[in-house]
Amino acid sequence: MTAPAVILIDPQLGENIGMCARAMLNCGLTDLRLVRPRDGWPNQKAQDASAGAQDVVDHAQVFQTTEEAVADLTRIYATTGRTRELLEYVLTPRAAAEDMRTATASGLHRTGVLFGGERSGLTNDDVAKADAIIRVPLNPDFRSLNLAQAVLLIGYEWFTAGDQTPSETRDIRDARPATQNEVEIFIERLGRGLDEGSFFRSVEMRPTVMRNIRLMFQRTQLTDQDVRTLHGITESLRRAGPERK
Amino acid sequence: MTAPAVILIDPQLGENIGMCARAMLNCGLTDLRLVRPRDGWPNQKAQDASAGAQDVVDHAQVFQTTEEAVADLTRIYATTGRTRELLEYVLTPRAAAEDMRTATASGLHRTGVLFGGERSGLTNDDVAKADAIIRVPLNPDFRSLNLAQAVLLIGYEWFTAGDQTPSETRDIRDARPATQNEVEIFIERLGRGLDEGSFFRSVEMRPTVMRNIRLMFQRTQLTDQDVRTLHGITESLRRAGPERK
């Protein structure tokens, strides 16, 4: 799926352009377009700040006007923190990412996102070229993001909208979840040790206390390796004998 | 709701600490903790880079060990891009944000997120102190984020997990959506003008063509102000008379 173009309008510092390129590549975006970069182009500081995203910097296209930069695009989004004197649709980055994915998946659209320069953001004329505004929900008392941070958040939402990573996984390497039988064998063995070590104050309390101990281990979602470790701990503590005073 | 603490372990550059503070405040986080900041503390460069988040920098707490920095917390997350030789739960930032909100809402938990320094990230010993790992889904070929970018993404997910911003809104200022009747009156008036201007090639085609024209305006979700503008455009074009060759 074609990723959206990132269009930086009147960007000032090369460092920021480089950091935008890095944030883009983090999110799988590569089509960088610059409108009137203040310090000219190519720019060594942009190269240096790209930290490995040099390809994105090298392939950046430079334009003199926003019109030229977006000429081939069919669906344009403008990022802005300010409220405008414009009647516009305003999307969260998450909704915009879904919108971009849907538009691109139709095969009809080529999308791009406009970002204003460090100093004054986008002009109303540039915003009026967009099909929708993207406004990032942030602390209302401290909304100002730097350029690369804004690019990162939009790119991140675009990336995660198409990403299949399960929200929760477990790195268990060569281990596998313990079977209920493996856990049971350990709990019984532990119980025998506790009986012999006079852990239980009364016979009547034993079932309740053992149930709580069982729950404590159950909660941790043990692997087969964990259970082997617990057997080893139990054996080792018995072998150690009473602590010396 | 108490926001998670951000714990930077072995951070090196003051600039990066300042940019972390800024990203934190963007997302409503204020509890910054530093473990062994390389260049000492306080740090003027951190102040300078915080760009208005000076309060977060001023209230940062400094510790000599990770243990001390997290002593009061009950639920700890470690951010890491690397796969570890550890058996750990791995959450996406979105799932972790939900988890933090749920844990905090219970009133039982105080949460914090560990971030490793610029050079080598978190040690396995630090990761082992965490209840879960957070791994940001990113371009697998270019995963490396700078410190402030990592803080921003975790903070952003935390913020949006509790944010009520509708995913799509419309800034229509003093305008209101046009009623169907207002649209209808305009379409009829336009139709009369098109009849008088011999727009339709045949009477038979008129209903189909008018339907398509209607859809074009319908799609734009007109406001009352838009409809007034369209009346004005129609009147003005008729007044202008034929284009001179």
Side-chain angles (χ1 to χ4, degrees):
Chain A
M1 180 172 293
T2 308
V6 167
I7 303 114
L8 307 183
I9 301 176
D10 292 314
Q12 304 194 315
L13 298 172
E15 289 87 333
N16 287 340
I17 299 172
M19 286 173 70
C20 286
R22 179 182 180 182
M24 286 173 63
L25 193 57
N26 280 147
C27 305
L29 310 184
T30 54
D31 183 352
L32 174 60
R33 307 177 182 196
L34 308 172
V35 178
R36 298 178 298 266
R38 186 191 66 182
D39 300 337
W41 197 259
N43 179 317
Q44 187 58 43
K45 287 183 178 163
Q47 301 275 7
D48 297 344
S50 67
Q54 185 128 358
D55 254 22
V56 175
V57 171
D58 288 344
H59 290 93
Q61 297 172 268
V62 178
F63 299 91
Q64 279 314 303
T65 64
T66 306
E67 286 79 357
E68 295 168 85
V70 301
D72 61 320
L73 304 180
T74 62
R75 196 156 173 80
I76 298 168
Y77 307 81
T79 55
T80 171
R82 299 209 305 274
T83 308
R84 304 282 178 157
E85 296 298 315
L86 292 166
L87 313 182
E88 278 273 10
Y89 280 96
V90 182
L91 304 176
T92 60
R94 197 157 303 165
E98 287 295 342
D99 194 79
M100 286 176 211
R101 293 257 171 198
T102 307
T104 312
S106 74
L108 297 170
H109 284 287
R110 190 85 220 258
T111 63
V113 187
L114 308 179
F115 294 84
E118 292 92 332
R119 196 138 75 123
S120 45
L122 293 173
T123 63
N124 279 349
D125 279 341
D126 284 335
V127 173
K129 294 186 181 71
D131 297 276
I133 283 179
I134 304 177
R135 197 176 293 144
V136 183
L138 287 173
N139 178 357
D141 298 325
F142 193 70
R143 300 186 48 81
S144 136
L145 286 174
N146 75 30
L147 196 49
Q149 306 274 51
V151 169
L152 178 69
L153 289 182
I154 306 301
Y156 168 75
E157 287 286 5
W158 186 84
F159 186 87
T160 53
D163 183 56
Q164 302 301 315
T165 307
S167 63
E168 181 177 337
T169 52
R170 196 168 177 200
D171 271 350
I172 55 172
R173 323 286 299 174
D174 301 329
R176 57 165 176 75
T179 65
Q180 195 55 38
N181 186 50
E182 287 166 338
V183 177
E184 195 57 43
I185 289 171
F186 167 70
I187 297 285
E188 280 173 21
R189 188 176 180 189
L190 179 66
R192 285 193 301 276
L194 296 180
D195 286 333
E196 295 171 33
S198 310
F199 178 80
F200 302 103
R201 303 229 175 142
S202 74
V203 182
E204 292 72 38
M205 285 305 288
R206 190 184 191 280
T208 307
V209 175
M210 275 310 290
R211 201 176 303 120
N212 284 331
I213 290 174
R214 178 190 295 276
L215 276 171
M216 184 171 70
F217 286 108
Q218 206 77 44
R219 269 204 306 273
T220 66
Q221 301 185 252
L222 300 165
T223 64
D224 60 335
Q225 205 174 95
D226 293 331
V227 173
R228 281 195 298 277
T229 304
L230 288 171
H231 279 293
I233 288 172
T234 307
E235 283 167 36
S236 161
L237 289 173
R238 297 189 67 160
R239 215 159 44 224
E243 284 185 87
R244 290 180 200 88
K245 294 283 150 58
Chain B
M1 180 173 295
T2 309
V6 167
I7 302 114
L8 308 183
I9 301 176
D10 291 314
Q12 304 194 317
L13 299 172
E15 290 87 331
N16 287 339
I17 299 172
M19 286 173 70
C20 286
R22 179 181 179 184
M24 285 173 64
L25 193 56
N26 281 146
C27 305
L29 310 184
T30 54
D31 183 350
L32 174 60
R33 306 177 181 196
L34 308 173
V35 177
R36 298 179 297 266
R38 187 191 64 182
D39 299 338
W41 198 259
N43 181 316
Q44 188 58 44
K45 287 183 180 164
Q47 301 274 7
D48 297 344
S50 67
Q54 184 128 0
D55 253 22
V56 176
V57 172
D58 288 345
H59 290 92
Q61 296 171 269
V62 178
F63 301 90
Q64 279 315 302
T65 64
T66 306
E67 286 78 358
E68 295 168 86
V70 301
D72 61 321
L73 304 180
T74 61
R75 195 156 174 81
I76 298 169
Y77 307 80
T79 55
T80 171
R82 298 210 306 273
T83 308
R84 304 283 180 160
E85 298 296 315
L86 292 167
L87 314 182
E88 277 274 10
Y89 279 96
V90 182
L91 305 176
T92 60
R94 197 158 301 164
E98 287 296 342
D99 194 79
M100 286 175 211
R101 293 256 171 199
T102 306
T104 313
S106 73
L108 297 170
H109 284 286
R110 190 85 219 258
T111 63
V113 187
L114 307 179
F115 294 84
E118 293 91 333
R119 196 138 75 122
S120 45
L122 292 173
T123 63
N124 280 348
D125 279 341
D126 284 335
V127 172
K129 294 187 182 71
D131 297 276
I133 283 179
I134 305 177
R135 197 176 293 143
V136 183
L138 286 173
N139 178 357
D141 298 325
F142 194 71
R143 298 185 50 80
S144 136
L145 286 174
N146 75 31
L147 195 50
Q149 307 273 51
V151 169
L152 178 69
L153 289 183
I154 306 300
Y156 167 75
E157 286 287 5
W158 186 83
F159 187 87
T160 55
D163 183 56
Q164 303 301 316
T165 307
S167 62
E168 181 177 337
T169 52
R170 198 168 175 201
D171 271 349
I172 53 173
R173 323 288 297 177
D174 301 330
R176 56 163 177 77
T179 65
Q180 195 55 38
N181 186 51
E182 286 166 337
V183 176
E184 196 56 44
I185 289 171
F186 166 69
I187 296 286
E188 279 173 21
R189 187 177 180 188
L190 179 66
R192 286 194 301 276
L194 296 180
D195 286 333
E196 293 171 32
S198 310
F199 178 79
F200 302 104
R201 301 227 175 143
S202 73
V203 182
E204 292 71 35
M205 288 302 290
R206 190 185 191 279
T208 307
V209 174
M210 276 308 292
R211 202 176 303 121
N212 285 331
I213 290 173
R214 177 190 295 275
L215 276 172
M216 184 170 72
F217 286 108
Q218 205 79 44
R219 268 204 306 273
T220 66
Q221 302 184 249
L222 300 165
T223 63
D224 60 335
Q225 204 174 95
D226 293 330
V227 173
R228 281 197 298 277
T229 304
L230 288 170
H231 279 294
I233 289 172
T234 306
E235 282 169 33
S236 161
L237 287 173
R238 296 189 67 159
R239 213 161 44 227
E243 284 186 86
R244 288 181 201 88
K245 294 285 152 57

